[in-house]
Amino acid sequence: ELVDELAKLAKLEFDESKKALVKEEFQKMLNFIDKLNELDTTNVEPLIHMSDAVNSFREDEPNNSISHESALKNAPDKDSDYFKVPKVLNK
């Protein structure tokens, strides 16, 4: 019943043989979680980031990496400084 309910929520359909396989895989996951629950984590700090690096992003500085001419060079259709695209909205 649990597999049927989860399949319904996930919008999946299983035949009987697949349902048995999914049930077996769920049971393996639950056993793994039970095994993790056996660990003593009383003095373990929660892991927030996978590394010690803090804000390793580059500065957000505007720059011109490509000119209008270069950008429009291979455009299928253009009009002056703009790309022309097919109309998708009707008013």
Side-chain angles (χ1 to χ4, degrees):
E1 291 176 7
L2 179 60
V3 173
D4 288 333
E5 182 65 21
L6 292 172
K8 179 180 150 191
L9 292 171
K11 296 186 181 353
L12 298 173
E13 292 182 18
F14 300 116
D15 59 20
E16 290 304 316
S17 63
K18 293 284 185 185
K19 203 180 290 188
L21 181 62
V22 169
K23 183 177 177 182
E24 183 180 318
E25 293 295 320
F26 279 144
Q27 191 59 50
K28 286 180 185 178
M29 287 186 256
L30 292 173
N31 291 340
F32 180 72
I33 291 169
D34 286 340
K35 195 69 168 168
L36 289 176
N37 284 334
E38 293 175 11
L39 296 173
D40 179 22
T41 59
T42 51
N43 294 324
V44 178
E45 291 287 326
L47 181 64
I48 297 173
H49 299 288
M50 296 305 291
S51 71
D52 294 332
V54 177
N55 197 12
S56 59
F57 301 112
R58 65 172 171 76
E59 291 296 321
D60 189 15
E61 297 174 357
N63 62 11
N64 291 328
S65 60
I66 189 169
S67 67
H68 283 293
E69 295 80 21
S70 296
L72 292 170
K73 185 169 77 172
N74 293 321
D77 198 5
K78 58 188 172 189
D79 179 17
S80 178
D81 290 338
Y82 304 100
F83 289 97
K84 287 180 78 174
V85 295
K87 185 177 182 179
V88 292
L89 300 174
N90 294 324
K91 289 187 177 184

